[in-house]
Amino acid sequence: MNRRELLKRSAALMGAGLWGGSELISPKSREPDRAAEGQIMTVTGPVAPEDLGPILPHEHVISRFGEPPARRPDYDLSALFDTVVPILERVKALGCGAIMDCSAAYLGRDPLIMRRLAEMSGLHLVTNTGYYGAVDDRYVPDHAYDETVDQLADRWLTEWSDGVDGTGIRPGFIKTAVDGGSLSDIDRKLVRAAARTHTESGLTIAVHTSGNVTGAREQLAVLEEEGVHPSAWIWVHAQNVDAPDALADAAERGAWIEFDGIGPDTIDRHVELVQAMKQRGHLGRVLLSHDGSSFPPEGSEPRPYDLLFTTFIPALKEAGFSGAEVRTLTVDNPRRAFTVRIRN
Ligand SMILES: [Zn+2]
């Protein structure tokens, strides 16, 4: 479905009194960005996917998680650069080609810092657009409740075309999050706005869903209503799902299944998760990351994001995974997942 059809439908819904939008939507007309299609959009510009090696699809290079929401995070810059640059240099030396930074707006996202970090470390970094609706919507700004779905999508599409916060630094994916159980009104709205943003931009939608199987199914239903294929959607924190068949069902439909909590104590568990997907024939839909955090707020422990290279890949090989399968998991899958492309 294109935007014009969507607008027609929204106008019809408003006319029928089914949708509480109080003003008519007048979206800017946007040309699809052909130059970005088929590329991965990093904070220093588009990069050909085949030029990237292994990609970490879910880390927090910088984060204010746990602190009050802030439009502009207040970082101690010299401490930040001193801490983070060596960490990025190290993962780059271990073979990492790019990191997707999942710190969303209002919980630590800062595109200018990310670009500086990419320049200083030589590692490709990717930032995001969208709003984070988990932890009881603590990081959802007030305007998200007042505005229509299309107005929210318009904000995120403006970040896509003009850069995050007007910096010219463009997001490489949409990051949102939902709370547990059936989708709340605001979480459903965020997912729908993400779907419409995808339809216009081709940006992949990564949704913190965790073990919420009901919420995952409802999200896929929203995507279907919006004409977005499940392959544009990532089930974030899927390692918390204790029903492997639910993950296999979503993978069967084309969704990406992200096991992103790799840590020192989870190696065996993560190998089992990947094996379960392999047995069900869905190795080609699995993403792996740490959900690490290299510059958390004071009082939070940093979480490393080098274990994939130092410990987890060797553990996979020991468990019988071939080099080609490891490449599928760490190179081909994330590359395909994050390549800008409209999927309908
Ligand atoms: Zn995370």
Side-chain angles (χ1 to χ4, degrees), residues 160-206:
W160 168 237
S161 54
D162 302 349
V164 172
D165 298 334
T167 57
I169 299 168
R170 300 173 72 187
F173 63 106
I174 304 158
K175 175 70 199 293
T176 183
V178 300
D179 285 305
S182 194
L183 297 181
S184 65
D185 287 349
I186 186 67
D187 289 352
R188 183 176 295 272
K189 190 195 244 186
L190 296 178
V191 171
R192 198 176 293 284
R196 292 189 192 173
T197 304
H198 171 82
T199 308
E200 298 277 308
S201 64
L203 289 176
T204 299
I205 307 162

Side-chain angles (χ1 to χ4, degrees), residues 58 60 102 175 237 291:
H58 188 125
H60 298 272
C102 286
K175 175 70 199 293
H237 308 321
D291 195 12

Side-chain angles (χ1 to χ4, degrees), residues 2-77:
N2 64 30
R3 188 167 188 86
R4 180 164 300 161
E5 284 166 326
L6 279 170
L7 286 169
K8 248 200 277 179
R9 194 166 71 172
S10 66
L13 283 170
M14 284 197 293
L18 295 173
W19 201 356
S22 56
E23 53 185 291
L24 275 170
I25 303 144
S26 52
K28 296 169 202 162
S29 74
R30 293 171 203 275
E31 291 300 310
D33 184 353
R34 296 280 170 229
E37 201 176 296
Q39 308 285 303
I40 289 179
M41 186 60 72
T42 77
V43 292
T44 50
V47 175
E50 56 274 19
D51 291 345
L52 298 172
I55 295 170
L56 294 174
H58 188 125
E59 310 299 343
H60 298 272
V61 175
I62 54 176
S63 164
R64 296 282 85 177
F65 195 84
E67 295 205 335
R71 186 82 193 121
R72 294 212 165 279
D74 179 21
Y75 288 112
D76 174 343
L77 288 180

Side-chain angles (χ1 to χ4, degrees), residues 8 130 185 232 234 237 267 271 307 322 340:
K8 248 200 277 179
D185 287 349
I234 300 173
H237 308 321
I267 301 298
V271 169
L307 287 165
S322 69
V340 175

Side-chain angles (χ1 to χ4, degrees), residues 70-139:
R71 186 82 193 121
R72 294 212 165 279
D74 179 21
Y75 288 112
D76 174 343
L77 288 180
S78 70
L80 189 158
F81 291 122
D82 284 353
T83 305
V84 178
V85 172
I87 292 173
L88 297 178
E89 286 172 341
R90 175 171 154 74
V91 286
K92 183 171 190 276
L94 287 167
C96 181
I99 294 179
M100 309 317 184
D101 186 76
C102 286
S103 293
Y106 300 95
L107 55 78
R109 183 186 64 166
D110 189 316
L112 291 168
I113 292 176
M114 292 299 287
R115 184 168 68 187
R116 192 79 193 96
L117 286 168
E119 288 165 351
M120 290 169 87
S121 66
L123 183 62
H124 289 298
L125 301 175
V126 175
T127 190
N128 64 80
T129 189
Y131 295 154
Y132 185 91
V135 291
D136 298 326
D137 308 309
R138 184 169 186 218
Y139 295 100

Side-chain angles (χ1 to χ4, degrees), residues 56 59 87 90-92 94 96 99 260-268 270-271 288-293 302-316 326 330:
L56 294 174
E59 310 299 343
I87 292 173
R90 175 171 154 74
V91 286
K92 183 171 190 276
L94 287 167
C96 181
I99 294 179
D260 52 47
I262 295 173
D265 305 326
T266 77
I267 301 298
D268 293 347
H270 272 78
V271 169
L288 296 172
S289 217
H290 310 80
D291 195 12
S293 186
R303 297 189 303 271
Y305 42 79
D306 57 1
L307 287 165
L308 181 92
F309 304 101
T310 60
T311 312
F312 192 66
I313 290 175
L316 282 175
V326 169
T330 58

